[in-house]
Each structure stands twice: as C-alpha cells, then as structure tokens.
C-alpha cells in the first residue's frame, strides 16, 4: 500500500533513481531483461529444444528411457569414445539401483576420451552418473580417477561412495567440440554409468552478478565453469527432470531449512504465476515460483526473525547463489518489503517484488549473488553457506518475507578447476578469481549525502504552501535548497526541463549540491544525468524500463568506485549482517551510515529520510 501523497512525475522519477542508488543494494533483475533501446523484450519461449543432446547409457546394451529422456546404448555411442579398454559391467538383477542408468557401466584402466561435436557454442550441461556397481573383475568401489575437459578439472582423484550420485556441471563451450576425459589413477580404474552433454539457453548464466563481500557488481562470470551443488524448490515438492524446462532435478528444502517451526510453506496453482514480457521461462520452471516458504507467524505481533537455510560447501571456492522469488502471498502491490542476507551479510535491502517485476504480483524474479570463500561460515575445513530472508523492520506494509527457490553453484578457481587447486595444465590456483572483476559499491554515507538534495525536495513538497498552484512554478520555492535564492523555472518542463538544459550545456555539475563538488566522478555523474533524461522522455515508448534504470545506476556506482576524484571518501563493504543463528535470529536494525563520514550533509540526509519515512500524504 502506498502511504505517500502524489508527486509530480518528473520529481517522482528523480527521487526513485536517487533512492535506489542510495541503498547501495539495488536489486537489478536478471529476471526482466531489456533491449538496447530500453524497450522490454518480447515474450520468451516456454520450452527449449537443445541442438546438442548426447545421452549415453554407458555399458548398456538396450535403449533406456529414464525421467522422460531416451539414452543411446554403449554401442550406439561408441563412435564418440576413444579408449584402449572395452570393459563393460552390469549390476546383478537383484541389485537395488534407483534408475536403470546406474545398472551398467563402462570401465577404463587407461585414459579414455569422449569427444562430442557441438552444433552451437555457449552453455552446456555435463551430467555424469556414478555408482560403483558390483560386477566383473574390477572393484569399482575402490576406483580413483579424475574427469577433465580441455580447460577444466571437473573431478580430481575421485573415489565413489557406495551410493548413486549424479555430478552436474555447466561449462561455456567456445569451440565446436567438447572432450570429456576419464583419467584413472595409476594402478586403479575409472568408470562411468551414464553421460549427458546438452546445450542450454544463453540466459542460463549472465556475465554479471552482485558480489556479497565487498558489496558490488562482479563481472566475467561467462568465463567460469560451474558445478551445481544444490537446486532447491523452497516450500514445495521435489521436481523431476520431466517437469523441468531444462531437464533438471530440484529437491525439497527439508534438509536445509533451520528452525522449521518458524517457516510456513505456501503454494498456488501454476496458472497464478504470470510471466511479464521479457522474463525468462527457462531459468526455472513455473512450479518453483508457485510455492514458497514464508514466516509462520507473520500475522501475529511483531516478528523479528529471519527464515534461514544452510548448505555445506567447500570453503576454498567461491559460489554463485541464485535466489528465486514470486510474491504469492500479498494481496496488493508495494505492501511487502524484506531484506535478503547471504552468509550473514546483507545483500538486498527492502526488496519489493512488485516493483522489480513491473507492478505485478505472483510474477517471477530471480537474482544472482557471488559469495567468495572468505564470506563462508564454519571451521575445520568445512564451510557453511547460509541464505536468510527477514522483514525490513520498518513500517513499510505487511511484516513478512518469503523465498521460492535457490541454486548454489561452485565456481571454478583461477586455473579452471572445480575440484582441487591444480588446473588441467598443472598450474596452481592463486587467491584471485580468474577473469572475474569485482567493483565495491559506494557506501551508505556518501550516497545519502549525494542525494540529500532530492530528499529535501520531497520534504519541501510536502510542506509546500497551500497556494502553490497559483504561483508560476513549484520550482520557484522548491529549488532554493541549494542556491539559497528563489527563481522561476518557467516553461512547459519546469524543474525537469531546467535540469535537462544544464545537462545539454554540459554543465550538470553546476546544479549539484556544492558540498559534493569535486567528489563525484564526472563519468558517473553523466551516467546518472543520462538516466534521468531518459526517464523524462516525452513519449512512453522512448523511456527506459525500470530494469535499465537500475542497471544504469549500478553502472554509475561502478564508475564512481573505479575512479573517484582525489579527496573523495569511499566506504567499504556493507557492515550490516544477519545473525549467524537459525530461524530465531534477530534482524539487525537498519542503519543509514556506512562508515560515519563526519559531514553535516550526512546528518541532514539521515534526518530528511527519517522525515520521509514518517510522513503522511495530504
């Protein structure tokens, strides 16, 4: 519900842009892409037919169908294999195997290579099925081997447990072929029960995400390889490959949710979920968005706890965490605001799903985060990665929080390895992150100071004289917040047109808060002004989408952080962190300072925004 009075469109747009930047945790949406011109993209397809699809039942002698997929026999795929061994094993008829895919295996005592010709470059799933069945003369339970591609180590000195396992990887193929090499340890053997190599849509993984520590955008993700560790349908049932858009498996969150009595599972019919134009239908199936976990006692008293999920991870690697949301609990837009924490650090503040999805309820949205090893919890070589959602702690509407799904993917290290510290070529990993580049966000204090002027404009709007409409322009009493002198910005555009005139003259810096003079990167300021100008275009078709607004503002932050003018003070990472406890963790109080710049404008900004928070519309 909206608790504010009506503002002029130009002022509202400028304020929105400023507020989004000021939080430093803008929620740019991978879930709502736009075209270069700013127009929303057309509807995306609801199904995907891969051009590369290799499904092999290794060691099998008859065609197998499992989870809606048809697999070729070992003989039918033999042309893809280069091996000196021809050892095949099959499980006993009485063996307890969960799928026919695990009933046979191909065994190698020397290096063997599967070579897959690819029709299209880009993202490809590699799924390797492994179960040490008993059969033949080779003890598969004691086998030790590695699995690599030309560029990436997928498994290093792997020894199977006595249970079926599927190892899933996502790699970005840049050549017209993919080699999958099985390398047994000397004196041991390698084996595989089944293999899948299937291409995926380009939008599966984009090049950028939000780094958690320090907080800021990180790019270069398309140069990494990934191992899928967890794919969880939060609050809903398991989803099999037959019901997934890309043939994936989703498990329930029962093994990962903390303090279960604090969580309530909710669901709606899949027909309730509405995909706005431009929102990908392939990144997750509709079933993921149609269920969620919310606060169990959100309607009782004033709950101050977070919903928490924890998963085990290797602390020597970084992780791509993708969270899925759809507001299936609210009855009105702009009524649910909540915070998101990753490994105890605030990643998103005041997430309003109806805003980021273009004013829709029950509309899919997802957000990617990168968590580096230093942010992981745990000791004794065992890492814990936590995800938390909790109420914002302010009077912003209903007190609740929700999460619909999540994926956790291990990211390759600097030498392209997903298992161990050495690459395919023997190089040792360093402490870097490969081709990824992180840009820290500018702190709370600087941003509040930078946009205190806009906050003051709104305060003055609410305190406007009753006869303001009879004056030549509201600008005549609104603008003196910086100049100290009243003037009239006459004409059709008023304040907005006045500001754009200064931009077109190349003198936008002349109208910014003088307290900030010399502290803002000119390129960053230019990007901000350019965004405001596009928001104010006369015709709706020429205005950029909310997704582009958010993206441009994040980019402005990057420019400022990458090359701040001499003397400009920067803030480090967001100090706010969620409690490390489970579902009973107390939500930290919101803070408007990111490092305490001892500046009067910072204090004034805090007071102004507090006035905004408490203000009622006329």
């Amino acid at each position: 519900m909206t608790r504010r009075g009506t503002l002029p469109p130009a002022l509202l747009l400028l304020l929105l842009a400023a507020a989004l930047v000021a939080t430093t945790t803008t929620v740019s949406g991978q879930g709502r892409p736009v075209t270069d011109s700013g127009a929303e993209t057309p509807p995306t397809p609801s199904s995907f037919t891969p051009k590369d699809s290799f499904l092999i039942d290794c060691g099998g002698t008859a065609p197998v169908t499992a989870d809606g997929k048809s697999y070729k026999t070992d003989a039918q795929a033999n042309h893809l294999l280069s091996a000196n061994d021809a050892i095949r094993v099959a499980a006993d008829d009485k063996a307890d195997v969960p799928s026919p895919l695990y009933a046979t295996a191909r065994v190698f005592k020397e290096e063997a290579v599967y070579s897959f010709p690819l029709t299209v470059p880009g993202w490809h799933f590699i799924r390797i099925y492994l179960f040490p069945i008993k059969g033949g003369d080779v003890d598969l339970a004691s086998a030790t081997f590695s699995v690599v591609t030309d560029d990436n180590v997928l498994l290093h000195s792997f020894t199977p447990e006595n249970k079926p396992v599927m190892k899933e990887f996502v790699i970005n193929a840049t050549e017209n072929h993919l080699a999958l090499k099985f390398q047994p340890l000397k004196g041991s053997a390698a084996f595989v029960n089944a293999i899948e190599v299937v291409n995926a849509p380009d939008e599966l993984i984009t090049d950028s995400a939000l780094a958690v520590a320090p907080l800021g955008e990180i790019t270069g993700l398309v140069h990494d390889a990934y191992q899928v560790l967890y794919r969880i349908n939060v609050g809903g049932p398991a989803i099999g490959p037959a019901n997934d858009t890309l043939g994936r498996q989703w498990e329930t969150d029962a093994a990962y949710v903390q303090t279960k009595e604090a969580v309530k599972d909710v669901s709606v019919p899949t027909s309730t979920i509405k995909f706005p134009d431009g929102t990908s239908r392939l990144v997750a199936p509709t079933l993921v968005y149609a269920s969620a976990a919310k606060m169990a006692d959100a309607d009782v008293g004033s709950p101050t706890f977070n919903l928490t999920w924890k998963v085990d991870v290797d602390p020597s690697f970084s992780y791509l965490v993708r969270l899925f949301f759809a507001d299936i609990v609210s009855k009105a837009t702009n009524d649910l605001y909540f915070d998101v924490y990753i490994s105890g650090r605030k990643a998103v503040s005041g997430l309003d799903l109806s805003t980021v999805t273009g004013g829709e309820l029950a509309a899919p949205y997802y957000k990617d985060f990168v968590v580096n090893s230093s942010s992981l919890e745990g000791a004794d070589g065992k890492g814990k990665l936590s995800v938390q959602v909790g109420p914002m702690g302010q009077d912003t509407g209903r007190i609740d929080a929700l999460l619909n799904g999540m994926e956790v993917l291990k990211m390759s290290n600097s030498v392209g390895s997903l298992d161990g510290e050495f690459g395919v070529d023997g190089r040792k990993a360093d402490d870097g992150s490969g081709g990824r580049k992180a840009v820290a966000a500018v702190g709370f204090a600087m941003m509040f100071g930078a946009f205190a002027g806009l906050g003051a404009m709104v305060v003055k709007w609410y305190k406007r004289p009753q006869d303001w409409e009879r004056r030549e322009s509201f600008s005549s009493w609104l603008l003196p917040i910086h100049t100290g002198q009243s003037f009239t910005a006459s004409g059709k555009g008023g304040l907005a047109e006045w500001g754009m005139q200064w931009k077109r003259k190349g003198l936008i810096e002349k109208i910014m808060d003088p307290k900030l003079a010399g502290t803002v990167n000119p390129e960053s300021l230019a990007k901000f002004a350019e965004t405001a100008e596009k928001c104010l275009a006369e015709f709706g078709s020429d205005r950029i989408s909310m997704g582009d607004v958010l993206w441009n503002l994040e980019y402005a932050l990057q420019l400022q952080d990458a090359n701040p003018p001499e003397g400009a003070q920067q803030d480090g990472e967001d100090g706010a962190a969620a409690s490390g406890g489970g579902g009973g963790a107390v939500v930290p109080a919101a803070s408007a300072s990111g490092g305490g710049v001892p500046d009067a404008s910072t204090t004034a900004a805090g007071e102004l925004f507090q006035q905004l928070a408490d203000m009622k519309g006329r």
Side-chain angles (χ1 to χ4, degrees):
M1 65 191 149
T2 302
R3 303 185 177 182
R4 304 173 178 85
T6 302
L7 296 173
L11 178 57
L12 183 60
L13 285 167
L14 285 171
L15 176 63
L16 175 60
L20 288 170
V21 176
T23 64
T24 78
T25 52
T26 51
V27 286
S28 64
Q30 286 98 341
R32 198 171 174 82
V34 294
T35 64
D36 291 339
S37 65
E40 292 178 4
T41 55
T44 56
S46 58
S47 62
F48 177 76
T49 302
K51 295 183 179 180
D52 294 323
S53 182
F54 301 93
L55 309 179
I56 307 172
D57 179 29
C58 303
T61 57
V64 168
T65 298
D67 294 319
K69 305 175 186 178
S70 298
Y71 294 78
K72 295 184 178 299
T73 66
D74 196 74
Q76 291 173 324
N78 199 52
H79 65 286
L80 301 173
L81 176 63
S82 175
N84 294 328
D85 306 295
I87 306 173
R88 300 175 179 84
V89 296
D92 185 274
D93 291 339
K94 298 180 181 180
D96 183 17
V97 293
S99 165
L101 294 178
Y102 295 105
T104 60
R106 188 68 186 261
V107 182
F108 314 109
K109 292 188 176 181
E110 298 179 20
E111 180 182 84
V113 181
Y114 282 92
S115 297
F116 300 96
L118 303 182
T119 303
V120 293
W123 295 116
H124 282 70
F125 288 110
I126 299 177
R127 300 184 180 111
I128 303 173
Y129 295 78
L130 301 164
F131 181 39
I133 57 178
K134 296 180 180 179
D137 299 329
V138 182
D139 181 12
L140 300 186
S142 62
T144 302
F145 58 96
S146 298
V147 181
V148 304
T149 67
D150 288 335
D151 302 308
N152 303 111
V153 175
L154 306 183
L155 297 174
H156 174 69
S157 295
F158 172 80
T159 299
E161 298 181 46
N162 190 29
K163 63 179 182 180
V165 63
M166 188 270 285
K167 300 288 188 179
E168 183 176 16
F169 307 90
V170 183
I171 61 99
N172 194 356
T174 57
E175 305 291 340
N176 60 1
H177 69 278
L178 172 66
L180 195 59
K181 306 174 185 178
F182 291 81
Q183 302 171 331
L185 188 69
K186 186 175 182 180
S188 186
F191 73 91
V192 60
N193 303 85
I195 297 173
E196 296 181 25
V197 175
V198 182
N199 75 291
D202 292 340
E203 67 258 36
L204 182 67
I205 298 177
T206 58
D207 190 53
S208 62
L210 185 66
V212 173
L215 191 66
E217 187 179 42
I218 189 168
T219 60
L221 272 63
V222 296
H223 302 297
D224 288 294
Y226 300 86
Q227 180 180 358
V228 181
L229 300 183
Y230 303 94
R231 188 178 284 126
I232 303 171
N233 183 27
V234 175
I239 302 173
N243 293 315
D244 178 78
T245 47
L246 300 176
R248 299 162 296 188
Q249 178 75 45
W250 299 73
E251 59 181 316
T252 70
D253 67 341
Y256 313 108
V257 65
Q258 312 292 304
T259 316
K260 296 181 180 180
E261 61 272 16
V263 178
K264 180 180 179 180
D265 293 343
V266 293
S267 62
V268 296
T270 55
S271 59
T272 303
I273 304 301
K274 305 299 182 184
F275 286 83
D277 290 349
T279 301
S280 174
R281 299 169 180 264
L282 303 177
V283 172
T286 306
L287 283 170
V288 169
Y289 298 111
S291 63
K294 65 182 291 290
M295 298 173 65
D297 57 351
D299 298 324
V300 180
S302 299
T304 56
F305 60 86
N306 292 338
L307 308 182
T308 304
W309 293 261
K310 289 187 177 182
V311 296
D312 294 324
V313 293
D314 182 342
S316 59
F317 286 85
S318 295
Y319 295 86
L320 177 64
V321 179
R322 175 170 290 172
L323 302 183
F324 299 90
F325 302 97
D327 187 353
I328 59 175
V329 299
S330 295
K331 303 301 182 183
T333 59
N334 307 116
D335 191 32
L336 175 62
Y337 297 79
F338 59 93
D339 295 338
V340 179
Y341 301 88
I342 309 288
S343 284
R345 298 174 182 267
K346 183 180 286 187
V348 179
S349 177
L351 176 58
D352 174 14
L353 294 174
S354 63
T355 293
V356 297
T357 57
E360 301 283 348
L361 290 178
Y365 175 78
Y366 70 92
K367 181 68 179 173
D368 289 345
F369 305 88
V370 170
V371 184
N372 59 36
S373 57
S374 64
S375 303
L376 299 175
E377 308 166 18
D380 301 325
K382 297 180 179 179
K384 289 282 188 181
L385 190 153
S386 65
V387 171
Q388 296 173 291
V389 294
M392 194 174 175
Q394 300 179 15
D395 184 16
T396 54
R398 61 180 288 120
I399 300 176
D400 208 342
L402 61 80
L403 179 65
N404 300 71
M406 71 174 174
E407 290 181 288
V408 179
L409 283 67
K410 182 195 290 186
M411 305 175 70
S412 58
N413 59 22
S414 59
V415 293
S417 177
L418 285 162
D419 191 8
E421 59 182 344
F422 293 97
V424 174
D425 57 3
R427 290 183 300 126
K428 186 176 180 179
D430 55 32
D431 293 331
S433 56
R436 301 189 296 274
K437 296 177 63 179
V439 182
V442 180
F444 274 100
M446 181 175 179
M447 287 300 99
F448 273 122
F451 298 104
L454 282 174
M457 288 162 67
V458 177
V459 173
K460 294 200 72 174
W461 169 256
Y462 279 101
K463 295 181 179 179
R464 64 195 182 275
Q466 297 296 325
D467 63 343
W468 73 276
E469 290 177 296
R470 293 194 296 271
R471 304 196 179 191
E472 291 184 89
S473 168
F474 68 86
S475 307
S476 62
W477 52 265
L478 192 61
L479 283 169
I481 54 176
H482 290 315
T483 66
Q485 299 177 356
S486 180
F487 72 97
T488 298
S490 60
K492 180 180 179 180
L495 174 64
E497 179 58 28
W498 173 82
M500 289 304 99
Q501 287 176 2
W502 283 98
K503 178 186 179 297
R504 286 190 285 270
K505 293 176 183 178
L507 298 173
I508 193 70
E509 71 276 5
K510 297 294 185 183
I511 61 171
M512 65 186 295
D513 190 334
K515 292 178 182 288
L516 298 172
T519 66
V520 179
N521 179 295
E523 292 181 322
S524 177
L525 181 61
K527 174 56 70 173
F528 182 84
E530 173 192 324
T531 304
E533 183 178 35
K534 290 180 178 178
C535 287
L536 298 170
E538 182 176 0
F539 300 102
S541 59
D542 296 328
R543 297 176 196 141
I544 58 176
S545 71
M546 181 58 68
D548 260 4
V549 171
L550 294 167
W551 189 95
N552 287 349
L553 293 175
E554 286 187 353
Y555 183 57
L557 286 177
Q558 296 173 42
L559 292 172
Q560 171 68 18
D561 187 70
N563 189 24
E566 185 175 353
Q569 185 164 355
Q570 297 185 75
D571 193 293
E573 65 194 49
D574 183 4
S579 168
V586 176
V587 178
S591 172
S593 66
V597 179
D599 187 297
S601 65
T602 304
T603 303
E607 294 173 353
L608 290 168
F609 278 87
Q610 183 58 47
Q611 290 183 57
L612 291 177
D614 298 335
M615 196 170 291
K616 306 294 182 183
R618 294 190 177 187

